[in-house]
């Protein structure tokens, strides 16, 4: 089977989520993650005032969304999609 290549997106995908996914049976046989991961923080950072990239809650607040973060994988993924869509569909 030819692997499916995709671009990942998320606040902590590369350092957190990916490690869990790679434990799934046959994950590495079926999926390949491209080297670039989309992090919405780069779109919501305030270069003048932030000491580091903002977390998901701060990104949501700056994007005009309710800043509450459930820390549920599906909810967090949908939040990231909403943040990216808001910036790319202006």
């Amino acid at each position: 089977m030819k692997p499916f290549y995709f671009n990942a997106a998320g606040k902590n995908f590369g350092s957190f989520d990916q490690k869990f996914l790679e434990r799934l049976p046959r994950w590495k046989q079926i999926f390949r993650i491209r080297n670039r991961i989309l992090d919405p923080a780069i779109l919501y950072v305030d270069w003048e005032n932030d000491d580091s990239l903002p977390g998901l809650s701060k990104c949501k607040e700056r994007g005009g969304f309710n800043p509450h973060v459930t820390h549920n994988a599906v909810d967090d993924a949908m939040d990231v999609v909403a943040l990216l869509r808001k910036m790319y569909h202006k």
Side-chain angles (χ1 to χ4, degrees), residues 16-33:
F16 187 77
D17 301 312
Q18 184 175 356
K19 292 175 185 177
F20 286 99
L21 292 171
E22 288 175 347
R23 292 182 185 175
L24 294 172
R26 299 184 58 225
W27 171 265
K28 291 182 180 180
Q29 294 171 323
I30 299 170
F31 298 104
R32 296 285 192 283
I33 301 166

Side-chain angles (χ1 to χ4, degrees), residues 3-4 15 18 22-23 33 60 68 78 80 82:
F4 175 78
S15 63
Q18 184 175 356
E22 288 175 347
R23 292 182 185 175
I33 301 166
K60 289 177 66 177
H68 177 70
M78 296 306 293
V80 168

Side-chain angles (χ1 to χ4, degrees), residues 8-21 33 37-41 53-57 59 69 71 73 76-77 80:
K11 282 295 307 146
N12 299 308
F13 186 87
S15 63
F16 187 77
D17 301 312
Q18 184 175 356
K19 292 175 185 177
F20 286 99
L21 292 171
I33 301 166
I37 298 172
L38 297 170
D39 180 349
L53 292 173
L56 185 55
S57 179
C59 289
V69 177
H71 300 287
D76 290 359
V80 168

Side-chain angles (χ1 to χ4, degrees), residues 45-54 62:
V45 66
D46 177 350
W47 294 108
E48 302 271 327
N49 299 304
D50 290 342
D51 293 330
S52 63
L53 292 173
R62 290 178 179 170

Side-chain angles (χ1 to χ4, degrees), residues 43-44 56-67 82-83 86-87:
L43 302 171
Y44 292 91
L56 185 55
S57 179
K58 182 57 76 176
C59 289
K60 289 177 66 177
E61 180 181 321
R62 290 178 179 170
F65 298 99
N66 179 335
L83 289 165
K86 181 169 179 101
M87 294 304 277

